[in-house]
Every structure is written in structure tokens, then in C-alpha cells.
Amino acid sequence: MKFPKINIRNEIKLFVLFVLAFSAIAFVERKQDYKKIKELNILIHDEGNNYFLDQEEVHKLVTADNSDFLIGREYAEVDLKAIEGRVRQNEYVSTTQAFKDLSGNLTIEISLCKPIARIIRSDKPDSYICESGKIIPTSEKFTPRVLLISGDYLDDVNSGNLQADSAYQSLFGLVKYIIRDPFWKAQISQINIDRRGDVILYPQVTKQYIEFGKVENVGEKFLKLKYFYKKILPHKGWNHYARVNLEYEHQIICE
């Protein structure tokens, strides 16, 4: 039986190259640890369309309200995870990442929560639903134009995430269905949902309200509603009906 020949010299060369490469990487990393931060860069994605936080406010979060001086400190002294954690504690922040480069720059990159609907209440503060389902408070600095949601169904919701809560997942799905369709996003201005889960939709232009019923068979109901807008209203007039009911299968009730 013949055994394969092993070139010991080549094996040794590969091992030496591996050790040298590992040592070089470790040396560069140790050298980087002694490099000092020269500049702090803050990058806010979509800053021009989302005004919940500005550069100055994020700077205060990064530096713990200017108590954690970062400029001039060595890389090894800076805890990137701690910085990310401080920034992420802000309710308007969706994601954050801190990283250093070879030139002495420390960059903080963040994305802000993007509101898609506003919960309006008569006896409690309003709040926003973000595209992730997260609930955030309103801001005096920024009032986005979004879908409105009213009714007793969301009275107890002040925080948390609708997408992660089984009691509200269907409602969150309805909101996403509306805002992702250009026609419905332009047409529907408000959702009212009572404590039993019955939904009424209010359009932007026409005066009739739409009795949607429970949040089920959503696609079928919107097909019926589109038929109402495309086929019925052009013949009867945009404000001929005061009420449209979509609750019953294969039926559109107009009064």
C-alpha cells in the first residue's frame, strides 16, 4: 500500500506564512488601539424627511450629554457597544452602528423610526406607529402626515410593538396594506376601530364612510371597494352615497 507523499518543506512554509500573517494582523490591531480619535461624524439616514432628531441631539446622546469626551481619546479606550446602547435608548432611534476608521474618525450611523400612522385619543396623548410596528410618542419638532387611527381598540396601547403583539397584528397588517398601495394611501385618511374590532374607513375626498367590519378577508374587501370607486361612483356621483358596507361576502351595500 502506497501512502501519499507529503512535502514537509511546503507544509512548514505555509505554517510560517500563516503565523506571519496572524502576527501582522495582531500588530496592526495593537497599533490601531493607540490611535486617537480626531473627528466625530454623525450620519442620520433620511435626515431631510424625518426631523425627530438632529445632529446636535444625536451628539448629546453619543457623548452622554457632553460628559463623555471622545475627541483625543485612544481607540482602545472607546467602547463602541456602550455608545450604540446610549443612542439606541432614544425612542426615536430605529438602528445605530458605531465604527472607527484608519484615519482617526469615529462615525455614528443611525436610522430613525419612520412613522406610518398616528393613534389619536381624546383623553390620552397621541402616539405614532412606526413601519416596524414600534409605538413612539409624538414630537413637538416634527408632525408627519400619516394615516390616522382612532377608536377604543388601541386605548391601552402606549408602548411596545404592534407586530410583536398577537392582539394587534391584524390591525398592523391592515395599516401596512393601505400605506403600501399608492391608491389606498392617497384615498384613505383615517381608520376607526372600536373595542370589538369593527373597522370604519374614512376617505380623503368623498363623504361616504366605509363599514369594513372585522380585519379579515382584507384583499377581497379592498377589491370590492375599488369596484365601488371605479364602476359605481362615476355613474352615481362621488357624493351620492353616505355609507358603504363591505362586511358581507360578495356584496357591496351602498346607501
Side-chain angles (χ1 to χ4, degrees), residues 2 15 17 20 35 43 57 59-60 67 95 104 137 156 161 163 176 180 190 193 203 225 233 254:
K2 293 184 178 180
F15 176 75
L17 287 173
L20 289 174
K35 187 178 284 290
L43 176 61
E57 289 168 317
H59 186 275
K60 287 183 178 180
S67 65
T95 62
D156 299 328
N161 190 304
Q163 188 166 236
K176 289 193 296 182
R180 288 176 178 176
Q190 185 172 341
I193 179 166
L225 186 57
L233 283 187
C254 308

Coordinates of all heavy atoms in Angstrom, one line a residue, residues 2 15 17 20 35 43 57 59-60 67 95 104 137 156 161 163 176 180 190 193 203 225 233 254:
K2 N 0.6 2.1 -0.9 CA 1.4 3.3 -1.0 C 0.7 4.5 -0.3 O -0.5 4.7 -0.5 CB 1.7 3.7 -2.5 CG 2.5 2.7 -3.2 CD 2.8 3.2 -4.7 CE 3.7 2.3 -5.4 NZ 4.0 2.7 -6.8
F15 N 2.8 27.1 7.1 CA 2.6 27.4 8.5 C 3.3 28.7 8.9 O 2.7 29.5 9.7 CB 3.2 26.2 9.4 CG 3.1 26.4 10.9 CD1 1.9 26.3 11.5 CD2 4.3 26.8 11.6 CE1 1.8 26.5 12.9 CE2 4.2 27.0 12.9 CZ 3.0 26.9 13.6
L17 N 4.0 31.2 6.9 CA 3.3 32.3 6.3 C 2.0 32.6 7.2 O 1.6 33.8 7.3 CB 2.9 32.0 4.9 CG 4.0 32.0 3.9 CD1 3.5 31.4 2.5 CD2 4.5 33.4 3.7
L20 N 3.1 34.5 10.3 CA 3.4 35.8 10.0 C 2.2 36.7 9.7 O 2.2 37.9 10.2 CB 4.4 35.8 8.8 CG 5.8 35.3 9.0 CD1 6.6 35.2 7.7 CD2 6.6 36.2 10.0
K35 N -4.1 54.7 18.3 CA -4.5 55.8 17.5 C -5.6 56.6 18.2 O -6.4 56.1 19.0 CB -5.0 55.3 16.2 CG -5.3 56.4 15.1 CD -5.8 55.8 13.8 CE -4.6 55.2 13.1 NZ -3.7 56.3 12.6
L43 N -24.0 60.4 11.1 CA -24.7 60.2 9.9 C -26.1 59.8 10.2 O -26.3 58.7 10.8 CB -24.0 59.2 9.0 CG -24.7 58.8 7.7 CD1 -24.9 60.0 6.8 CD2 -23.9 57.7 7.0
E57 N -28.7 66.9 18.8 CA -29.3 66.0 19.8 C -28.6 64.6 19.8 O -28.4 64.0 20.8 CB -30.8 65.8 19.5 CG -31.6 67.1 19.8 CD -33.0 67.1 19.2 OE1 -33.1 66.6 18.0 OE2 -33.9 67.5 19.9
H59 N -25.5 64.1 18.9 CA -24.2 64.3 19.5 C -24.3 64.2 21.0 O -23.4 63.6 21.7 CB -23.7 65.7 19.1 CG -22.2 65.9 19.6 ND1 -21.9 66.4 20.8 CD2 -21.0 65.7 18.9 CE1 -20.6 66.5 21.0 NE2 -20.1 66.1 19.8
K60 N -25.3 64.7 21.6 CA -25.5 64.6 23.1 C -25.7 63.2 23.5 O -25.3 62.8 24.6 CB -26.7 65.5 23.5 CG -26.4 67.0 23.5 CD -27.6 67.8 24.0 CE -27.3 69.3 24.0 NZ -28.5 70.1 24.5
S67 N -20.7 64.6 28.5 CA -19.9 64.3 29.6 C -18.8 63.2 29.3 O -17.9 63.0 30.0 CB -20.8 63.7 30.8 OG -21.4 62.5 30.4
T95 N -32.2 52.1 14.4 CA -30.9 51.3 14.4 C -29.8 52.2 14.6 O -29.8 53.4 14.2 CB -30.7 50.5 13.1 OG1 -30.7 51.4 12.0 CG2 -31.9 49.5 12.9
G104 N -8.6 58.0 11.9 CA -8.9 58.6 13.2 C -10.3 59.2 13.3 O -10.6 60.0 14.2
P137 N -43.8 58.1 20.9 CA -44.6 59.3 21.2 C -44.5 60.4 20.1 O -43.6 60.3 19.3 CB -43.9 59.9 22.5 CG -42.5 59.4 22.5 CD -42.6 58.0 21.8
D156 N -55.4 51.2 25.2 CA -54.4 50.7 26.2 C -53.0 50.6 25.7 O -52.1 50.2 26.4 CB -54.9 49.3 26.8 CG -56.2 49.4 27.5 OD1 -56.5 50.5 28.1 OD2 -57.0 48.4 27.4
N161 N -44.7 47.0 20.7 CA -44.7 46.8 19.2 C -45.9 46.1 18.8 O -46.2 45.0 19.2 CB -43.4 46.0 18.9 CG -43.1 46.0 17.4 OD1 -43.9 45.6 16.6 ND2 -41.9 46.4 17.0
Q163 N -46.5 44.7 15.9 CA -46.2 43.5 15.1 C -45.9 42.3 16.0 O -46.1 41.1 15.7 CB -45.0 43.8 14.2 CG -44.7 42.7 13.2 CD -43.8 43.1 12.1 OE1 -44.1 43.0 10.9 NE2 -42.6 43.6 12.5
K176 N -50.5 48.5 7.0 CA -49.4 48.3 6.0 C -50.1 48.0 4.6 O -49.5 48.5 3.6 CB -48.6 47.1 6.4 CG -47.6 47.3 7.6 CD -46.6 46.2 7.7 CE -47.2 44.9 8.0 NZ -46.2 43.8 8.2
R180 N -49.0 50.7 1.6 CA -48.2 50.2 0.6 C -48.8 50.2 -0.8 O -48.2 50.0 -1.8 CB -47.8 48.7 0.9 CG -46.8 48.6 2.1 CD -46.5 47.2 2.4 NE -45.5 47.1 3.5 CZ -45.2 45.9 4.1 NH1 -45.7 44.8 3.7 NH2 -44.3 45.9 5.0
Q190 N -58.3 57.9 7.4 CA -58.5 57.5 8.8 C -59.1 56.1 9.0 O -60.0 55.8 8.2 CB -59.3 58.6 9.6 CG -59.5 58.3 11.1 CD -60.1 59.5 11.8 OE1 -60.2 60.6 11.3 NE2 -60.6 59.2 13.0
I193 N -61.5 52.0 14.8 CA -61.7 50.6 15.2 C -62.2 50.6 16.7 O -61.5 51.1 17.6 CB -60.4 49.8 15.0 CG1 -60.6 48.3 15.5 CG2 -59.2 50.4 15.7 CD1 -59.6 47.3 15.0
P203 N -62.6 58.1 3.9 CA -61.8 58.5 2.7 C -61.3 60.0 2.8 O -61.9 60.8 3.6 CB -62.7 58.3 1.6 CG -64.1 58.5 2.1 CD -64.0 58.0 3.6
L225 N -64.2 47.4 -2.7 CA -64.1 48.9 -2.6 C -63.6 49.6 -3.8 O -64.1 50.6 -4.3 CB -63.3 49.3 -1.4 CG -63.3 50.8 -1.0 CD1 -64.7 51.3 -0.7 CD2 -62.4 51.0 0.2
L233 N -69.4 54.8 -8.4 CA -69.4 56.2 -8.2 C -69.4 57.1 -9.4 O -70.0 58.1 -9.5 CB -68.2 56.6 -7.3 CG -68.3 56.3 -5.8 CD1 -67.2 56.9 -5.0 CD2 -69.7 56.8 -5.2
C254 N -74.7 49.8 -0.6 CA -74.5 51.3 -0.7 C -75.8 52.0 -0.3 O -76.9 51.6 -0.8 CB -74.1 51.7 -2.1 SG -72.7 50.8 -2.8

